[in-house]
């Protein structure tokens, strides 16, 4: 079994590449963004709180996302995982390391999808243009994207050094075509 993290700024293609790996290589994708959107759609009090945080481009509390992740890992014991959007800060990365150690699992690879930050704005604008109004994510607008990029630079970017030290980090140019990127990822795993 192979366990991967896909790391990169918002809009870098983590979700797209995860879905390709699910289809072609039988991975189980764990996307904290999708798990959180499910809670938001459940219309509960906690969902309303999470919705405000997401609409604002901030990070949801470590306690909530780490609890979600631990539940996903323990309910799918024999799977190869792709973590998409998790971890997003050092505390979350340490919690994942702890959980993996306790459950005798191994994190094999962290793939960083490298996309220049000014290209992300064009991608989000395209994503909005191409979605119908029901599909547009509440946090898909340029102002929130800029906020999310700042959150990324401050909180998530330091993870590159964290995983470089663990000798697990590989960089892939995320500005090539979807097919090219997925070919490169396939060669890594
Ligand atoms: P994503 O779908 O990965 O782009 O995430 C959408 C939003 O969900 C983010 O902007 C955060 O508000 C929240 N979120 C997703 N993953 C995490 C995480 N690991 N930690 C905290 N907040 C998260």
């Amino acid at each position: 079994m192979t366990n991967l993290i896909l790391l990169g700024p918002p809009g870098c293609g983590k979700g797209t590449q995860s879905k390709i790996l699910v289809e072609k290589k039988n991975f189980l994708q764990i996307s904290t963004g999708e798990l959180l959107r499910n809670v938001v759609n459940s219309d509960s009090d906690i969902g309303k709180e999470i919705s405000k945080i997401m609409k604002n481009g901030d990070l949801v509390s470590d306690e909530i996302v780490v609890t979600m992740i631990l539940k996903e890992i323990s309910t799918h014991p024999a799977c190869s995982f792709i973590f998409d959007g998790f971890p997003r800060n050092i505390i979350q990365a340490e919690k994942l390391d702890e959980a993996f150690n306790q459950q005798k699992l191994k994190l094999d690879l962290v793939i960083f999808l490298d996309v220049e930050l000014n290209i992300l704005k064009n991608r989000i604008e395209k994503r909005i243009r191409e979605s119908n109004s029901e599909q547009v994510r509440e946090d898909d607008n340029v102002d929130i994207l800029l906020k999310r990029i700042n959150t990324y630079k401050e909180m998530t970017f330091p993870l590159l050094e964290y995983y470089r030290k663990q000798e697990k980090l590989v960089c892939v140019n995320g500005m090539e075509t979807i097919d090219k990127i997925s070919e490169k990822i396939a060669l890594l795993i």
Side-chain angles (χ1 to χ4, degrees), residues 32-33 36-37 54 58 60 85-86 88 92 137 139 148:
T32 36
L36 290 166
R37 281 186 282 281
M54 291 173 78
D58 291 319
V60 174
F86 181 92
R88 258 175 155 100
Q92 294 180 9
R137 282 170 43 171
D139 56 356
R148 294 173 72 210

Side-chain angles (χ1 to χ4, degrees), residues 22-155:
V22 169
E23 272 168 32
K24 293 199 175 157
K25 305 263 179 182
N26 231 0
F27 276 89
L28 181 82
Q29 176 191 13
I30 304 186
S31 155
T32 36
E34 278 179 22
L35 292 170
L36 290 166
R37 281 186 282 281
N38 289 341
V39 181
V40 168
N41 292 335
S42 71
D43 216 23
S44 54
D45 286 344
I46 180 79
K48 284 182 192 132
E49 250 176 68
I50 291 174
S51 168
K52 271 191 229 153
I53 298 168
M54 291 173 78
K55 273 190 212 161
N56 212 21
D58 291 319
L59 292 187
V60 174
S61 80
D62 293 333
E63 201 190 335
I64 292 177
V65 285
V66 168
T67 305
M68 284 176 152
I69 286 286
L70 297 186
K71 189 170 162 220
E72 288 296 310
I73 295 174
S74 61
T75 46
H76 302 282
C79 284
S80 288
F81 298 111
I82 312 174
F83 295 95
D84 159 13
F86 181 92
R88 258 175 155 100
N89 61 28
I90 299 280
I91 291 176
Q92 294 180 9
E94 288 172 349
K95 293 281 180 198
L96 184 65
D97 281 348
E98 251 174 53
F100 266 35
N101 283 338
Q102 274 168 11
Q103 302 193 32
K104 309 249 176 311
L105 296 171
K106 185 170 161 267
L107 175 64
D108 297 281
L109 201 61
V110 179
I111 300 175
F112 171 55
L113 288 179
D114 191 10
V115 177
E116 282 169 25
L117 297 184
N118 59 2
I119 291 181
L120 299 171
K121 184 168 164 266
N122 300 340
R123 284 195 180 177
I124 291 279
E125 285 172 334
K126 184 164 174 269
R127 189 151 94 187
I128 296 167
R129 271 198 312 276
E130 288 175 358
S131 308
N132 66 42
S133 55
E134 278 162 25
Q135 288 172 328
V136 174
R137 282 170 43 171
E138 284 182 315
D139 56 356
D140 254 358
N141 73 57
V142 173
D143 289 342
I144 297 299
L145 174 73
L146 297 178
K147 176 78 190 292
R148 294 173 72 210
I149 288 175
N150 275 338
T151 308
Y152 164 79
K153 283 197 224 162
E154 217 176 286
M155 310 299 294

